[in-house]
Amino acid sequence: MSASPLVQVSDLVVNFHTRRERRRGSAPNAVDGVSFGLSADETLAIVGESGSGKTTVARCVVGLQAHQEGTVMFDGAPVGPVTRRSPATRRAIQMVFQDPAASLNPRMTVRSIIAETWRTHPSAAPDGRTWDAAIDELLADVGLDPDVGTRRATALSGGQCQRVSIARALALRPRLLVCDEAVSALDVSVQSQILRLLAGLRAARGLAILFITHDLGVVRQIADRVAVMHRGRLVETATADDLFERPGHAYTRKLLAAALDLEGA
Amino acid sequence: MSAITARPRLWPVRLRSTPTVAAVATVVLAVYLVVGLIGPLLIAYDPVATSVADRLLPIGAVRSDGTVALLGTDGAGRDMLGQLVYGARTSIIIGISVVAACLAVGLAFGTLAGYLAGWTDVAISRLIDILMAFPGILLAIVIAGLFDRSMLVVVLALSVAGWVGFARLARGLTLSLRERPYVDAARLIGVPTPVVIVRHVVPFVIGPVTALATTEFAGAVLSEAGLSFLGLGLPSATVSWGQVIANGKDYLDTAWWISALPGLALTGLVVSTGLLGDHLTQRLGTSR
């Protein structure tokens, strides 16, 4: 792990208050003073129940959600909304979404979806090879046959869609991959395939991964460190082993106990 | 539990939803299109030439030159068949022009408002509200009355408020589409906003908007006829069904065909377009 983090989130505050709520000042923040760092080559999982604010944090990191307070630093420089980021920063931070099918334009073929990334960032386009050959190679990297390239998302399974989504993100050779509940919508066997794929890609490409999930089983498989969120706050951050062996916060213990209950049931 | 009440329907359910009805409507519209586009090439008709000897001839009567007036003549001796055929062309040209202009403006404003949100949305939405506060036909009458009569003025007068329906539909659909993960993914990659709108939003808006276009086409044809009936539409050198109906209103008891035939032609075109529009709206999965 390198000394300075690739991503540093400090005192992040996000709220979706209406004007009346703002005047009264009573409604809670969706994200309330969250801080964490993520090093290159590291996988940090953010866990928590639904509505705890973990997806909002992820969307702030990628720049799809504006925040009211705090900073998001990438590679030592503050980054704002995605529309104001430099092309290099946009390339460097990519996301895999929760709903595999909905994250691909149903009117476009897989080839045109991937080619769109290179049309937007010609500097990331493959050198010395045709785009078709590069797309075939990329599809092979995520475990897909080349013939998938001519199909549309509507003709693909959930697992295939998620692999295409990962391929689209990888096409830009990102340094940080944010996975927002990326395996939640998939069945268990496909989940483990995608997790193995992500772990392999991380090792091969030196990716940092911010993994958002509510599934502690998934966390155990993929995360180096885990941050636990509860009602918009980060209540505990620990290495995966420490968190599962010696949970420090009462909410973490409750979360683990709930997961164990489910496994035992 | 609260009851869900259906929107009252203008047409009987079976008439609206049957594919056979839609097919018949399509055939009728095709006939209008062929008559409007090819008819003027086959029938010679001069809208300003009059013949006193051939005034008010009934259907099938023989004219002074020995030819048969298949659908009779009007109060100035002009051939009714020629007026119907040339009127069809006028209606189709006006309808298509108005719908094309409204669709282009409405789609552009609606998708921009829905996608960009914020102040752009507020400005466009308020403009829509203002235009909706005026009755469209009244606004068209005012605009048509301000300028010399011409086809361009009629198209402009009908388009000024006509784009609002398209913009509202496009805005509503875009508001939902902009939240789709594939649109987020495109933004995240850095695809420029105009490209995101054209590639990831418009293809999903165009279907419902096209369905609306058919209904708006009927509205544009009716409005043009209304303007021409009032003498505010097209110049007298251009045949309009509205104008022909107005010409015949003084002869309703003696020469009914002058007003009735263009009235029937207008009804046929509007009803067929409405039925096809309803069918398309149902098939494309949305309504206004």
Side-chain angles (χ1 to χ4, degrees), chain B residues 113-238:
Chain B
Y115 187 80
L116 297 177
W119 286 108
T120 313
D121 185 28
V122 170
I124 293 173
S125 296
R126 290 302 79 80
L127 179 62
I128 289 173
D129 290 344
I130 291 167
L131 284 171
M132 285 194 72
F134 290 101
I137 190 72
L138 201 65
L139 201 62
I141 287 171
V142 171
I143 294 166
L146 287 174
F147 301 98
D148 289 339
R149 291 161 66 181
S150 76
M151 197 174 272
L152 183 65
V153 168
V154 171
V155 171
L156 278 177
L158 296 177
S159 305
V160 163
W163 60 272
V164 166
F166 291 99
R168 287 181 71 204
L169 179 63
R171 175 184 172 271
L173 292 166
T174 307
L175 278 174
S176 148
L177 286 164
R178 73 190 292 271
E179 304 300 331
R180 301 272 169 96
Y182 63 80
V183 177
D184 274 346
R187 288 212 299 261
L188 199 59
I189 289 165
V191 178
T193 299
V195 180
V196 174
I197 292 176
V198 169
R199 197 179 291 156
H200 298 287
V201 175
V202 169
F204 302 92
V205 174
I206 206 78
V209 164
T210 306
L212 176 63
T214 50
T215 352
E216 292 293 321
F217 175 86
V221 168
L222 261 185
S223 300
E224 180 277 318
L227 284 180
S228 294
F229 183 86
L230 295 171
L232 293 165
L234 300 166
S236 40
T238 311

Side-chain angles (χ1 to χ4, degrees), chain B residues 76-101:
Chain B
R78 290 171 297 201
D79 183 36
M80 284 304 300
L81 178 63
Q83 296 195 57
L84 285 187
V85 168
Y86 280 72
R89 184 178 69 173
T90 306
S91 291
I92 288 167
I93 291 173
I94 297 266
I96 289 175
S97 306
V98 170
V99 165

Side-chain angles (χ1 to χ4, degrees), chain A residues 15 71 104 106 142 158 174 179 186 189 205 217 229 258:
Chain A
N15 62 57
T71 52
L104 306 174
V142 295
C179 301
L186 306 173
S189 64
R205 295 175 180 242
M229 280 192 75

Side-chain angles (χ1 to χ4, degrees), chain B residues 243-287:
Chain B
Q243 221 169 53
V244 182
I245 293 171
N247 292 342
K249 70 178 186 297
D250 294 335
Y251 305 102
L252 277 177
D253 49 347
T254 53
W256 55 268
W257 56 90
I258 303 173
S259 289
L261 292 178
L264 283 174
L266 193 60
T267 307
L269 180 59
V270 170
V271 169
S272 305
T273 316
L275 288 172
L276 183 64
D278 275 357
H279 183 71
L280 286 178
T281 306
Q282 284 171 5
R283 277 201 61 182
L284 295 169
T286 186
S287 66

Side-chain angles (χ1 to χ4, degrees), chain A residues 197-214:
Chain A
L197 169 68
L198 286 171
L201 290 169
R202 182 194 133 188
R205 295 175 180 242
L207 272 173
I209 298 180
L210 181 62
F211 203 93
I212 310 298
T213 183
H214 60 268

